Amino acid sequence: MIRSYQHLKRLLFIHRTLHKYKLDQQLLAESPVAFLLPLQWLAPWTWQSRFNGDRGEAIRLALETLGPIFIKFGQALSTRLDLLPPDIAQELIKLQDKVPPFDSEQAMKLIESQLGKPINELYRHFDAAPLASASIAQVHTAQLHDGTYVVVKVVRPDILPVIKLDTGILRTLARITETLIPFTRRLHPVEVVAEFEKTILDELDLMREAANAALLKRNFDHSPLLYVPEIYWSHTATQVMTMERIFGSPVSDVDALRAQGVSIEKLSENGVIIFFTQVFKHNFFHADMHPGNIFVLPDGRYAAIDFGIMGTLTPEDQRYLAENFLAFFNRDYWRVAQLHIDSNWVDADTRVNELEAAIRSVCEPIFDRPLKDISFGLVLLRLFQVARRFKMEVQPQLVLLQKTLLNIEGLGRQLNDELDLWKTAKPFLQEWMNERLGPKGFVRGVKEQLPFLMENLPQLPAQHQAMMKTLSAQLPLQSELLNRMAQEQATTRRNQQRLALGLSLVLIGLLLPPSLALAQWQQMSLVALGLLLMVWKSH
């Protein structure tokens, strides 16, 4: 009852916010329930004055008012500048690192309670004014006592109840959707919401984020492509994380990068390689790669921050994805269709040639075209239509990867809209498949299994002897069973032979021409003998 009351209260707040910023009219005016709009005036808050600014600013302010779940949605949209009108896109970009901050006194008290020491003992200098503020946390600059420049990330206070309330509402809406609209069940909306809830709750645990950063740093240790800042564990807890400060340029500031002599073309290609390296070689990828989380160092390397959302895939998903990408790059749409069937992403009785033709009609027009001439948003919409026709199931474990792909495309479009995505990615995937399935993959597999084999090798003689004893004990029973089966098969063969012979004699007796002048009793004898053979069974 309390939860239902909270849900109703939250829904009313959402409606009040949409009405305040005139978004209710934009959302409902052309919908089937537009006739209900006049009923809104029954709510007292609809009598108050409304926002009169631009629609882009209205959307941004509404998302900020509604909280972290909605801000996350706006952040995802902000990377798709090709799909949004410019006025909306420019406003949503501000959500990446310009969310209103919370009180600095609260931040410092939280740091002290989490780390168990006063601020002046923890840091030589701590800047009370936040450097950046995001939907889940805000960041302050500081300096350790040894002179190291760091940033301190602090989780927003009292954010957990809001997240649980909003995800609860989303979960309820997902269940209603599955119940009322049967075809949406294959999209697994409830599972998708559950995965989203898990992801955003993970972001609240900064110890987890710090561990993610440490692993990503090891994966790219001494890499010329990506730099990951150092984590200072002595100054890190569940709601506070202290990390090396990055001095670089935002990846979206292309003019500043060119002024520093950074090759934008090379930078855009490296971004694609970094993504595929994380997904296929390391199986651990940064799943929140919007421009607010990516910087470029003076030496041209990428530098990543914000490691709260990381993704992994199963080995089976990795392989199927790699094969799908390669088949797609080679325009082998039959292979793409067959892989979808093999991986159970579509029904097993799907006709390969029909799925192949549908995929070709979507994908063929985008080849040999630069990124600026391709709208992946439209491609995804058409692929969704194909998915609906062939009852293709949304894979919840791939939702993060799909989101990251959109982020990568949006980032690539900002950097270099002439980027040939296929030419950059294809050699990487071919090399990865060769290493996985070729001689190198075989040798690596043997090396991985060698410790297990060495550990169990001394036990093999005893295991072999025990197995032989078991087989010896079972052998008499198996021999008796085999003999009985052989006898039954022999009896069956004899009965079949007698049946065939008897049938032949019956036919001869009945069909012999009168010209042979056999006595009638002789013909009847043949028929009788045949019938006798047909019914005779051997025991």
Side-chain angles (χ1 to χ4, degrees), residues 384-442:
F384 183 78
Q385 293 172 348
V386 170
R388 184 173 180 178
R389 174 184 168 191
F390 290 94
K391 301 179 181 178
M392 191 180 299
E393 301 240 346
V394 170
Q395 306 299 311
Q397 76 274 19
L398 302 182
V399 170
L400 276 181
L401 181 66
Q402 294 165 357
K403 170 182 175 292
T404 306
L405 279 170
L406 290 178
N407 284 344
I408 291 294
E409 186 223 335
L411 184 60
R413 189 181 302 278
Q414 289 185 34
L415 287 175
N416 178 20
D417 56 12
E418 297 289 343
L419 175 67
D420 189 335
L421 194 63
W422 328 125
K423 183 179 178 181
T424 305
K426 184 177 177 180
F428 177 92
L429 287 172
Q430 286 177 328
E431 180 184 355
W432 182 82
M433 287 295 290
N434 290 336
E435 289 181 354
R436 183 180 177 90
L437 302 179
K440 290 183 179 179
F442 174 77

Side-chain angles (χ1 to χ4, degrees), residues 328-529:
F328 176 73
F329 294 154
N330 292 323
R331 304 190 188 188
D332 186 354
Y333 303 116
W334 184 93
R335 179 62 177 157
V336 173
Q338 187 62 55
L339 284 167
H340 277 66
I341 296 172
D342 292 344
S343 60
N344 296 320
W345 292 351
V346 295
D347 290 342
D349 58 355
T350 300
R351 288 190 173 183
V352 179
N353 57 337
E354 290 184 3
L355 182 56
E356 173 194 9
I359 295 173
R360 180 187 295 110
S361 68
V362 175
C363 299
E364 191 65 23
I366 71 174
F367 272 99
D368 298 327
R369 299 170 67 186
L371 197 55
K372 67 178 180 180
D373 295 334
I374 302 172
S375 172
F376 273 91
L378 296 178
V379 172
L380 286 175
L381 287 176
R382 292 197 61 194
L383 283 175
F384 183 78
Q385 293 172 348
V386 170
R388 184 173 180 178
R389 174 184 168 191
F390 290 94
K391 301 179 181 178
M392 191 180 299
E393 301 240 346
V394 170
Q395 306 299 311
Q397 76 274 19
L398 302 182
V399 170
L400 276 181
L401 181 66
Q402 294 165 357
K403 170 182 175 292
T404 306
L405 279 170
L406 290 178
N407 284 344
I408 291 294
E409 186 223 335
L411 184 60
R413 189 181 302 278
Q414 289 185 34
L415 287 175
N416 178 20
D417 56 12
E418 297 289 343
L419 175 67
D420 189 335
L421 194 63
W422 328 125
K423 183 179 178 181
T424 305
K426 184 177 177 180
F428 177 92
L429 287 172
Q430 286 177 328
E431 180 184 355
W432 182 82
M433 287 295 290
N434 290 336
E435 289 181 354
R436 183 180 177 90
L437 302 179
K440 290 183 179 179
F442 174 77
V443 172
R444 186 177 62 253
V446 171
K447 287 182 178 180
E448 291 175 353
Q449 294 297 321
L450 191 58
F452 173 79
L453 294 174
M454 295 297 293
E455 180 182 353
N456 289 275
L457 188 60
Q459 303 173 20
L460 289 181
Q463 292 175 352
H464 175 72
Q465 186 177 7
M467 183 179 65
M468 293 304 296
K469 286 182 178 179
T470 303
L471 290 175
S472 299
Q474 295 176 350
L475 192 58
L477 295 175
Q478 293 176 347
S479 296
E480 182 181 349
L481 179 62
L482 290 173
N483 289 334
R484 188 179 301 170
M485 291 176 61
Q487 291 174 2
E488 291 177 354
Q489 289 175 353
T491 301
T492 301
R493 281 196 300 272
R494 287 196 299 271
N495 288 338
Q496 290 173 343
Q497 291 170 353
R498 290 180 186 128
L499 180 64
L501 179 58
L503 182 61
S504 301
L505 291 174
V506 169
L507 291 174
I508 290 173
L510 293 174
L511 301 177
L512 269 176
S515 59
L516 291 179
L518 289 177
Q520 187 175 9
W521 67 269
Q522 290 174 313
Q523 289 180 313
M524 294 302 297
S525 297
L526 288 173
V527 172
L529 180 59

Side-chain angles (χ1 to χ4, degrees), residues 88-225:
I88 295 177
Q90 292 304 316
E91 285 295 328
L92 292 185
I93 287 175
K94 297 177 182 178
L95 292 174
Q96 292 173 0
D97 58 1
K98 292 186 173 67
V99 180
F102 61 90
D103 184 61
S104 297
E105 288 294 327
Q106 285 184 288
M108 290 189 284
K109 287 179 180 178
L110 184 58
I111 293 170
E112 291 177 338
S113 65
Q114 284 280 298
L115 301 181
K117 294 180 180 179
I119 286 288
N120 59 0
E121 289 186 22
L122 293 166
Y123 307 100
R124 176 190 292 179
H125 170 73
F126 182 88
D127 191 351
L131 175 67
S133 183
S135 55
I136 299 296
Q138 69 185 30
V139 174
H140 295 258
T141 59
Q143 189 178 18
L144 299 179
H145 287 286
D146 64 1
T148 304
Y149 289 97
V150 296
V151 292
V152 185
K153 185 172 184 178
V154 189
V155 172
R156 287 180 173 270
D158 304 322
I159 193 174
L160 183 59
V162 176
I163 290 177
K164 287 192 172 182
L165 187 61
D166 282 352
T167 52
I169 291 174
L170 289 174
R171 204 163 41 243
T172 301
L173 293 175
R175 290 196 190 100
I176 293 173
T177 301
E178 280 193 356
T179 302
L180 299 181
I181 311 175
F183 84 86
T184 63
R185 293 169 191 164
R186 63 185 173 79
L187 304 177
H188 305 298
V190 174
E191 293 180 40
V192 171
V193 170
E195 184 69 22
F196 178 71
E197 180 181 20
K198 176 182 177 297
T199 299
I200 198 167
L201 288 176
D202 285 346
E203 285 192 78
L204 300 181
D205 185 354
L206 296 187
M207 287 292 286
R208 182 187 184 93
E209 178 176 345
N212 289 341
L215 177 54
L216 190 65
K217 186 174 182 63
R218 286 200 302 275
N219 288 344
F220 283 91
D221 193 27
H222 304 300
S223 169
L225 301 175

Side-chain angles (χ1 to χ4, degrees), residues 245-299:
R245 185 176 180 181
I246 295 297
F247 293 95
S249 301
V251 71
S252 56
D253 194 348
V254 178
D255 292 336
L257 296 176
R258 290 190 187 278
Q260 296 171 22
V262 174
S263 170
I264 301 301
E265 293 73 19
K266 185 66 175 176
L267 194 65
S268 61
E269 292 177 4
N270 286 347
V272 175
I273 295 173
I274 289 170
F275 169 73
F276 282 100
T277 300
Q278 291 180 85
V279 172
F280 292 105
K281 283 195 174 181
H282 300 156
N283 191 20
F284 188 71
F285 58 93
H286 194 304
D288 198 16
M289 296 185 68
H290 62 74
N293 288 338
I294 306 296
F295 295 86
V296 179
L297 301 179
D299 61 6

